[in-house]
Amino acid sequence: MADDPAVSLTGVRKTYRVGEPVHALDGVDLSLVDGSYTAVMGPSGSGKSTLMNLVGCLDAPTEGTVTVDGTDVTALSDRERTALRGDEIGFVFQTFNLMPRLTARENVALPLIFQGVDAAERGERADAMLGRMGIGDRGDHRPNELSGGQRQRVAIARALVTDPTLVLADEPTGNLDTETGARILDVFDEAHAAGNTILVVTHERHVAERADRIVHLLDGRIERIERVGRPGSAGAGGPADDEVTG
Amino acid sequence: MRLRESLRLSWRSIRGHKLRSTLTTLGVVIGIAAVITFVTLGVSLEAGILGDVDTGQTNRIYVWGSPAGEGGGPGEDAELIFTQRDVTELRNQSDVAAAYPWTPLPSESLTHGNDTVPIREGVIATGTEYVEADRVADGRRFEEGEREAVINPAAANRFEENVSVGDTVAVAVPGAGEVNATVVGVLETSEGQGPFEGFGEDPRIYLPADPYYLDLASEATDDPRYLSVVVEADDPRDVDAARDSARAYLESDASDAGDYLGGDLELTIQTGGELLEQIQDILDQVTAFVTGIAVISLVVGAIGIANIMLVSVTERTREIGVMKAVGAQNRDVLTLFLTEAVILGVIGAVGGVALGAVGGWAAAEYADLPLTYPLEWFAIAVGVGILVGVVSGLYPAWRAARTDPIDALRYE
Ligand SMILES: Nc1ncnc2c1ncn2[C@@H]1O[C@H](COP(=O)(O)OP(=O)(O)OP(=O)(O)O)[C@@H](O)[C@H]1O
Ligand SMILES: [Mg+2]
């Protein structure tokens, strides 16, 4: 690829030892071009979340290297990795992971606190983000006063509020009806159009098809990488398969 | 992260568990309140006692003779050993400005007009200087050799018609009938005028030893003796010198008291300053003891905070994971939990100070002492509250900070 990779994984292996060693990832090579939109699909337990955690600098590989924005994450100190996470990465978790005692607005503003953004600006940016998610009127609600789909949207707003270069989303539309799901996906499209690199895990084909390409995982290996057309463009869904050995 | 943010977030989680936070701080509240109450009581007691003895009386030296080796408070077990000649001689010793006897007059009752009230103690035969001039609210001090008296309000007000300057009162002395005295002065307060009397507010009447005591005693014996003598130095700085010369005279063969001393009887000479120190020592011991107990309850309070903070860290593992995932540094997490513990400690301390201030007030009121707040202890208490918070929060906060985000996010 001509462009600099925003993320690249080389020979990444993640092994859990609970009795028998489990290879959650078993030799993965993957690079995400800066500004690309990638979907990850695969059966449950195939290592999708593990991959996300590694790319999101939350976890370290057992073997291999993960590079984000040109820096080898495995070589960073805990402190530097945290800073990288806060500044460059927006994470939407499979389970929303909102702070139960904070309001939606405060939840969205949380990452900004650790960046040292002042309170007034935090409030504005959080409100703007909630507005984009279509839940601008729910800013004062706590997570337990929101529906599952609304919570998911708060989680997405929180991931996008720092305007991260890399957006990671684990099943972002899993809890949403098609219409709201489509709306969320539009937000990702916007972020993509704005130049952010996006990595989305999904079980749903139509969600994955919003991306440039789909990485298929199976048993911790990349089974194949499928290029897809942008929605609306001719031949969407008629993929030009692009086999890659895992 | 700024301090304001961590304060806000910590306050949030404290408010999120109102009951739990209240119970947690209660340990600290009780500990601090106990310290403040007892220290306030101690300080008030000290002020109550020392306020009376203090200034003007530190130049006094109290002299009495009691059975050897028994110690005891001022005048305890004192024997009648000082003659009028001793008192006169003491006045001539170097550095001595004044000397006068102090001896209670045996009495049964006090009569004013047609009104008689019992009085067993509190009729005191002494010298003019014993009653300080500025403590006489109305009238003047009695003069030696005159049939005059100074009365305190507690005694003056016991009669249906209050005794005032110019009135005549009669003291009934067992075996000697009644002796009359003209009241020439009423004291400002009813507290004791010196350590021999104690410092409580009791009815007292002061008479010149000459003539009252000498006349009465001469009827019973040809060698009347006083129970104790008060010696004064001109200046508190000369007190030690005056004490030494008084002792030298009294223990010499020249003194009449010296006849009795040496064998079973021992002379005790204490300056006002020494008495103050003794009182202060006792008060300090009481305060130290009570503070010790309070420290124990503070330790219990600290353990309470530590325990709750640990529970809270475990409970919020997932939240910690979220915060770290969105960019919270270990330091931020540490600050958050530490702030929370410190807030609990400070609330406990402030609550404790408030409760202790009320408790101290109630105790001083009950014991009828002038309320004096140990303000430095209020500051110390808040400092201790912060310390308790830091100490008890340190380990839980450190545990929270070390939490691995990925484990924390997976935590169910
Ligand atoms: N902490 C862990 N300890 C042991 N094994 C783990 C751990 N985390 C994940 N695994 C294992 O690694 C494998 C991959 O897990 P991962 O969560 O990445 O799956 P996934 O593709 O996200 O599945 P799903 O679609 O259900 O979310 C699974 O077999 C899982 O049991
Ligand atoms: Mg998963």
Side-chain angles (χ1 to χ4, degrees), chain B residues 82-369:
Chain B
F82 306 98
T83 63
Q84 180 60 38
R85 193 181 69 84
D86 283 339
V87 175
T88 315
E89 284 295 323
L90 277 172
R91 281 182 194 146
N92 298 329
Q93 301 302 311
S94 58
D95 298 304
V96 171
Y100 40 84
W102 185 97
T103 206
L105 209 64
S107 59
E108 277 171 346
S109 63
L110 196 59
T111 306
H112 171 233
N114 300 325
D115 206 357
T116 299
V117 296
I119 186 160
R120 293 287 310 251
E121 289 169 351
V123 179
I124 290 148
T126 182
T128 306
E129 292 95 334
Y130 182 68
V131 175
E132 283 174 88
D134 57 5
R135 294 195 180 181
V136 182
D138 204 11
R140 58 169 173 85
R141 301 192 282 189
F142 61 70
E143 266 169 34
E144 280 167 40
E146 301 294 329
R147 306 194 75 81
E148 296 177 340
V150 169
I151 195 166
N152 77 4
N157 301 339
R158 284 185 83 181
F159 299 96
E160 259 165 42
E161 206 176 312
N162 288 356
V163 176
S164 52
V165 173
D167 292 354
T168 299
V169 291
V171 181
V173 179
E178 293 202 330
V179 290
N180 288 330
T182 307
V183 173
V184 294
V186 179
L187 291 176
E188 198 166 13
T189 71
S190 299
E191 282 147 7
Q193 301 299 304
F196 291 139
E197 299 165 39
F199 297 98
E201 302 201 346
D202 293 314
R204 292 188 189 94
I205 179 163
Y206 303 89
L207 307 163
D210 169 24
Y212 289 99
Y213 185 75
L214 288 179
D215 285 1
L216 282 169
S218 318
E219 281 175 29
T221 163
D222 45 9
D223 182 23
R225 303 245 173 175
Y226 298 121
L227 197 67
S228 55
V229 175
V230 181
V231 175
E232 282 185 15
D234 252 338
D235 190 286
R237 272 171 300 183
D238 300 331
V239 148
D240 287 349
R243 179 192 56 200
D244 293 344
S245 56
R247 180 181 286 280
Y249 165 75
L250 287 169
E251 286 180 346
S252 74
D253 292 338
S255 77
D256 296 331
D259 301 344
Y260 291 124
L261 295 171
D264 288 346
L265 276 189
E266 191 179 53
L267 191 69
T268 307
I269 304 191
Q270 276 188 332
T271 64
E274 285 167 347
L275 281 171
L276 278 189
E277 268 170 40
Q278 280 181 7
I279 295 169
Q280 205 133 25
D281 278 354
I282 295 169
L283 292 177
D284 286 351
Q285 274 176 26
V286 171
T287 308
F289 176 71
V290 167
T291 310
I293 292 175
V295 164
I296 293 172
S297 68
L298 271 182
V299 169
V300 174
I303 293 173
I305 292 188
N307 183 31
I308 281 306
M309 290 306 298
L310 280 174
V311 169
S312 168
V313 167
T314 312
E315 229 180 46
R316 282 188 276 162
T317 302
R318 235 185 141 83
E319 288 179 43
I320 296 167
V322 173
M323 285 198 291
K324 286 192 149 187
V326 302
Q329 292 287 359
N330 290 0
R331 186 169 34 103
D332 298 326
V333 176
L334 188 89
T335 312
L336 269 178
F337 280 87
L338 212 51
T339 309
E340 200 172 317
V342 168
I343 291 178
L344 289 178
V346 168
I347 292 179
V350 170
V353 165
L355 190 65
V358 173
W361 168 81
E365 194 80 350
Y366 178 74
D368 206 8
L369 290 168

Side-chain angles (χ1 to χ4, degrees), chain B residues 17-102:
Chain B
H17 294 112
K18 280 202 194 71
L19 182 64
R20 182 205 281 187
S21 306
T22 311
L23 292 176
T24 308
T25 50
L26 212 54
V28 183
V29 168
I30 291 170
I32 301 262
V35 179
I36 295 293
T37 299
F38 286 108
V39 174
T40 301
L41 192 60
V43 170
S44 299
L45 197 65
E46 211 169 299
I49 292 173
L50 304 191
D52 299 331
V53 191
D54 215 30
T55 57
Q57 298 204 339
T58 44
N59 62 336
R60 286 190 177 177
I61 299 155
Y62 302 94
V63 188
W64 71 95
S66 55
E70 292 205 350
E76 206 173 301
D77 298 327
E79 298 287 355
L80 299 160
I81 61 170
F82 306 98
T83 63
Q84 180 60 38
R85 193 181 69 84
D86 283 339
V87 175
T88 315
E89 284 295 323
L90 277 172
R91 281 182 194 146
N92 298 329
Q93 301 302 311
S94 58
D95 298 304
V96 171
Y100 40 84
W102 185 97

Side-chain angles (χ1 to χ4, degrees), chain A residues 16 53 58-59 78-80 82-83 85-86 93 95 97-103 106 110-111 113-114 116-119 122 142 158, chain B residues 1-2 4-5 8-9 12-13 16-17 316 318-332 336 404-406 409-410:
Chain A
Y16 292 107
N53 292 339
L58 281 169
D59 210 352
D78 181 39
R79 208 190 145 76
E80 290 165 325
T82 304
R85 218 156 45 214
F93 299 98
T95 48
N97 281 332
L98 298 175
M99 303 284 274
R101 269 181 298 275
L102 300 186
T103 62
E106 288 166 330
L110 189 67
I113 289 183
F114 303 113
V117 177
D118 68 58
R122 284 202 310 262
R142 304 218 174 164
R158 184 179 64 192
Chain B
M1 188 175 44
R2 293 166 206 176
R4 254 194 57 199
E5 304 303 339
R8 229 174 44 87
L9 284 174
R12 218 17 121 62
S13 61
H17 294 112
R316 282 188 276 162
R318 235 185 141 83
E319 288 179 43
I320 296 167
V322 173
M323 285 198 291
K324 286 192 149 187
V326 302
Q329 292 287 359
N330 290 0
R331 186 169 34 103
D332 298 326
L336 269 178
D404 183 22
I406 193 73
L409 286 169
R410 264 203 211 104

